[in-house]
Structures are given as C-alpha cells and as structure tokens.
C-alpha cells in the first residue's frame, strides 16, 4: 500500500451534456502538472516544460479516427514530448484471420479494395511519415504481428496477396532483424532508419521508471496479458491494447485513437479515445478525448 500510495485529486470540467475528467498526481510536496499548468509551492505557473513522453492510444491506421488524431497531436504540439509511444499502428485488415471464415466479409473487402496488403502497408508508412517530428517509438503489438503469423500459417499458392506473401516471406527468411522484431518493424526501419525507434517483444523502453515497451497483449513467459498481471509487475508500466483507459496500482492502460465502433465490438463497449502523458516529475496522466475535445 505504501509503495502505491500517491497524493492526487480529480479535475472534472462540465462541458454541456458531457464532461472531461483528469486525474492529477502530485509529488510529496504537493507540486503537480496538469496540461498547460504547473503548480509549485502553491503558485500556479504556465507549464513551459511540457511532458517528457506521450503514449498514444492504439492507432489502427485503417480504422484511425482522423479528427481524434488531429486533436491528440494538437495537444502534443503544445506538450512537445521527447518521445511519442505508438501502439498497434497496423490493423492488417487486408489479411485479417478473423475474416477468413466469413465469405461475405471477404467479398465486401474485395469490392471496397480493402484486401490489398501492399496498399495497407503503404498507408501505415504514410501515417508514420506524417508524424515523424514527434519522435515515434513503435511498441511491438499484436496487430503488427498478424503479418508474421499470416506468413507462417498461409499457403501462398492459395492465399490472396501472393506477391506480397513472396516478398515479405523472403524478408522473414533472410533478414535476422525481421525474425527478432517482425516484418513490419523491419519495413519501418528500412523506410525511416533512425528517425523511428521500433521495439521487439523483448525490448525495454523506460522513462522515469515507467516501462513503455509493453503493448499489453503478451504477459509473462508467453502468457496472455491482462490488468492483474501488469499491475503486479515490479515496475510501473503503461500499455495499450484494450482500447479503454484503466489505472490500477502500477499499471496504466491508455485508450485508442481509432473509431469507437469498428464492426466487431458490438453491444455495450468501454472503448474510449485518449492518450497518456508522463511529466518531468515522472507523474502519469490519462487524457481523454470526448466530442473532439480533451478539455472544456
């Protein structure tokens, strides 16, 4: 209890029929950051230091909500993070294994031109190129890994995207770094070099004691990830994957910057748009984007 105890409070801003809520964590002297404000020794200052890291909610380029993304990066333009961690840059809709048993969904993708893997990879590269100035760090995620799983589990003679299969399978067979990081990180490295940092499943990326390399789908020793497992780790950590904000003990999960309805999440949903910020004092804040705004 003492380890997880922190000073803090909640800000609620009423905005018509909706509201914006932010948890604020203070240091032992009661000093804290909240977006554009810094309070020190009881005096309110403008936050001229911004934040050290931003952790975006899952991107999913094919399902990326452009308006929400615009708002998120408007905030980052002010906060000027040294690093921006990206979760699930890919959707891999063109080869999604969940669709393989649904011939009508396959027909729909064919008619809409959504079944071309080369085009989907180009869309991913385009999104990254548009945001290079934010010092992107790509957390290895489950949707990125779907490309590798497709290469390992498909018969190219029967699969769609045969040319893409042969090209990417050759990379997986011949490039050691692709076998460690995955084919999509290899393609990103090849395209952007050291302008983007890509992580493998076993890499660590820590800032102010926060482990930020975990996407959230993979737990200890290859098990399935989850809140209980991550909150019990011996280090603070922030993940994506779940598409909804969550905070418990040393684990924080950010939301998503994709659309909140993408077809498969039917019924009641806890998906929420948002991102996380780590301030210079090492405190973490979740920021939610509601009705196109992150505050009133």
């Amino acid at each position: 209890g003492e380890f997880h105890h922190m000073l803090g409070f909640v800000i609620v801003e009423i905005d018509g029929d909706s509201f914006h809520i932010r948890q604020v964590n203070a240091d032992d002297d009661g000093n804290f950051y909240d977006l554009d404000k810094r309070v020190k020794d009881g005096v309110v200052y403008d936050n001229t230091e911004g934040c050290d890291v931003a952790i975006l909610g899952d991107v999913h380029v094919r399902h990326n909500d452009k308006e929400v993304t615009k708002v998120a990066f408007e905030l980052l333009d002010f906060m000027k993070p040294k690093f921006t961690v990206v979760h699930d840059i890919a959707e891999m809709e063109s080869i999604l294994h969940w669709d393989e048993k649904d011939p009508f969904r396959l027909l729909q993708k064919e008619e809409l031109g959504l079944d071309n893997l080369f085009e989907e990879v180009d869309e991913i590269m385009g999104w990254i190129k548009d945001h290079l100035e934010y010092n992107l760090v790509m957390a290895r995620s489950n949707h990125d890994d779907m490309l590798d799983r497709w290469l390992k589990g498909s018969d190219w003679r029967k699969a769609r995207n045969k040319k893409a299969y042969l090209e990417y399978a050759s990379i997986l067979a011949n490039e050691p770094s692709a076998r460690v990081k995955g084919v999509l990180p290899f393609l990103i490295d090849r395209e952007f070099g050291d302008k983007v940092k890509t992580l493998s499943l076993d890499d660590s990326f820590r800032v102010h004691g926060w482990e930020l390399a975990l996407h959230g789908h993979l737990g200890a020793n290859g098990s399935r990830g989850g809140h209980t497992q991550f909150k019990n780790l011996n280090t603070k950590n922030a993940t994506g994957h779940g598409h909804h904000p969550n905070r418990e003990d040393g684990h924080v999960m950010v939301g998503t910057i994709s659309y909140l309805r993408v077809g498969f999440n039917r019924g009641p949903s806890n998906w929420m748009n948002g991102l996380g910020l780590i301030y210079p004092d090492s405190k973490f804040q979740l920021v939610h984007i509601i009705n196109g705004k992150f505050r009133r």
Side-chain angles (χ1 to χ4, degrees):
E2 183 178 357
F3 176 77
H4 292 299
H5 180 267
M6 62 184 71
L7 300 175
F9 58 94
V10 173
I11 294 176
V12 179
E13 297 179 323
I14 305 299
D15 188 12
D17 293 333
S18 63
F19 62 90
H20 300 273
I21 184 170
R22 295 188 303 279
Q23 297 172 330
V24 178
N25 294 327
D27 64 22
D28 291 341
D29 296 321
N31 305 317
F32 62 88
Y33 293 86
D34 176 50
L35 299 179
D36 59 344
K37 299 300 180 185
R38 165 73 163 137
V39 175
K40 185 175 182 180
D41 299 328
V43 180
V44 180
Y45 302 92
D46 290 334
N47 177 12
T48 58
E49 300 170 274
C51 71
D52 285 351
V53 188
I55 301 92
L56 293 179
D58 287 16
V59 174
H60 295 288
V61 165
R62 269 283 169 94
H63 295 156
N64 185 232
D65 188 321
K66 292 180 175 58
E67 291 303 313
V68 169
T69 301
K70 180 175 179 288
V71 172
F73 279 98
E74 286 174 353
L75 175 58
L76 266 56
D77 286 337
F78 174 79
M79 302 305 296
K80 293 181 171 51
K82 297 179 177 67
F83 301 101
T84 301
V85 178
V86 176
H87 288 275
D88 260 338
I89 183 68
E91 177 65 26
M92 289 302 161
E93 181 179 41
S94 56
I95 57 171
L96 203 61
H97 62 279
W98 297 323
D99 295 338
E100 290 304 307
K101 294 183 180 181
D102 185 346
F104 300 101
R105 174 59 179 152
L106 295 177
L107 174 62
Q108 181 186 45
K109 290 198 296 188
E110 181 180 325
E111 291 177 333
L112 296 175
L114 301 175
D115 60 346
N116 188 308
L117 178 55
F118 279 141
E119 289 184 2
E120 186 167 7
V121 170
D122 285 344
E123 292 167 13
I124 292 167
M125 297 302 173
W127 192 96
I128 294 172
K129 183 179 180 180
D130 289 343
H131 299 95
L132 281 177
E133 63 186 282
Y134 297 95
N135 299 318
L136 304 179
V137 179
M138 317 300 292
R140 181 63 167 155
S141 305
N142 61 311
H143 277 261
D144 311 345
D145 188 50
M146 287 179 183
L147 174 54
D148 299 68
R149 291 170 57 188
W150 177 72
L151 293 170
K152 295 172 183 178
S154 300
D155 182 343
W156 74 272
R157 296 170 299 178
K158 301 177 182 178
R160 290 173 296 279
N161 292 287
K162 291 179 176 60
K163 285 188 177 180
Y165 181 96
L166 292 172
E167 179 176 325
Y168 296 150
S170 178
I171 290 172
L172 191 58
N174 295 298
E175 298 291 345
S177 65
R179 291 197 294 273
V180 173
K181 285 186 175 182
V183 174
L184 185 60
F186 174 87
L187 296 173
I188 294 171
D189 289 342
R190 187 174 69 181
E191 181 75 16
F192 299 107
D194 60 5
K195 294 179 182 178
V196 177
K197 185 176 182 63
T198 59
L199 302 173
S200 75
L201 289 174
D202 295 321
D203 279 335
S204 175
F205 183 73
R206 293 195 184 198
V207 178
H208 293 314
W210 288 89
E211 179 58 71
L212 304 176
L214 303 171
H215 173 57
H217 66 300
L218 189 64
N221 303 313
S223 63
R224 191 170 184 173
H227 298 308
T228 301
Q229 198 170 143
F230 293 124
K231 78 182 183 69
N232 289 329
L233 291 180
N234 64 349
T235 183
K236 297 179 294 185
N237 59 92
T239 68
H241 186 55
H243 292 197
H244 64 276
N246 181 277
R247 185 164 194 165
E248 187 174 0
D249 295 338
H251 172 238
V252 182
M253 183 168 67
V254 297
T256 181
I257 57 173
S258 71
Y259 294 111
L260 297 181
R261 290 290 183 179
V262 295
F264 61 83
N265 61 326
R266 297 174 178 174
S269 174
N270 61 356
W271 286 21
M272 193 170 184
N273 295 132
L275 65 156
L277 305 174
I278 299 179
Y279 292 106
D281 61 356
S282 82
K283 304 302 183 184
F284 195 110
Q285 185 175 50
L286 285 167
V287 180
H288 314 302
I289 299 174
I290 301 170
N291 297 332
K293 299 164 67 176
F294 59 84
R295 68 185 316 172
R296 187 175 60 187

